[in-house]
Amino acid sequence: MKRIFIPILTAVATFLAVSSASAEETRHIKIAKPSLLVMVTSDDAQVQLMSMVLTMQSVKQGAKTNVLLCGSAGDMALRDAPNSVTTGQPPMNMSAQGLMKTVMEKTETTVEVCAIYLPGKGLDKSALIDGVTVADPAAIAKLMVDKDTKIASF
């Protein structure tokens, strides 16, 4: 009986020691936030607004979000923006630009316009609302090829 009891007791003690060490190590591991690159190119006001709704919801789900505005969607970032991006829409009377500003103020979301957007419009950085910058193509490409980045295109 002693022959069986001692190995079983040793195995149980070893298991408990390993489990305790693993639990202690796990407490100190930081889980990386999932990365989401939201690329908006649509000129449709509803699509632009929905891109911001889903960006905000993604942040609430724990994602690190980056927004890239290109083409007509770049208008969302203009100080002197067209009515299509500033007019409130149902059901909350929120505009694409308004929600984008809220996302920028309340989260760590980076919002950028494509590098060719401003030159294509004959504008410079002063035309952008506070907090929006011009994207670095190399940095965006790095995000795009990162295996941990998900891309949502609107």
Side-chain angles (χ1 to χ4, degrees):
M1 184 72 166
K2 279 186 176 179
R3 284 183 173 171
I4 296 173
F5 183 68
I6 291 176
I8 290 174
L9 187 59
T10 302
V12 169
T14 302
F15 174 77
L16 291 174
V18 169
S19 295
S20 176
S22 295
E24 183 64 28
E25 290 170 6
T26 303
R27 263 184 279 205
H28 300 292
I29 295 174
K30 289 186 178 179
I31 305 297
K33 287 184 174 186
S35 179
L36 176 65
L37 174 59
V38 179
M39 300 175 76
V40 189
T41 60
S42 177
D43 63 351
D44 185 275
Q46 272 190 344
V47 173
Q48 291 173 349
L49 178 58
M50 197 63 203
S51 73
M52 293 301 104
V53 168
L54 293 176
T55 298
M56 180 65 93
Q57 291 303 313
S58 296
V59 171
K60 289 180 178 180
Q61 296 292 323
K64 179 186 180 320
T65 53
N66 298 278
V67 175
L68 179 64
L69 306 171
C70 295
S72 299
D75 294 351
M76 293 168 57
L78 295 177
R79 289 183 191 280
D80 187 22
N83 288 340
S84 61
V85 301
T86 59
T87 301
Q89 299 179 56
M92 308 278 297
N93 197 34
M94 180 66 73
S95 71
Q97 188 184 69
L99 185 53
M100 182 182 73
K101 286 179 178 180
T102 300
V103 167
M104 291 183 341
E105 290 168 7
K106 296 188 183 254
T107 73
E108 296 176 9
T109 300
T110 300
V111 178
E112 300 173 304
V113 293
C114 285
I116 60 175
Y117 173 75
L118 291 173
K121 293 279 257 188
L123 301 171
D124 62 26
K125 294 176 186 177
S126 67
L128 299 175
I129 61 174
D130 292 339
V132 176
T133 59
V134 176
D136 172 16
I140 295 297
K142 185 176 180 180
L143 269 176
M144 291 174 70
V145 299
D146 186 320
K147 67 180 178 56
D148 296 323
T149 299
K150 293 185 187 237
I151 300 173
S153 182
F154 295 90

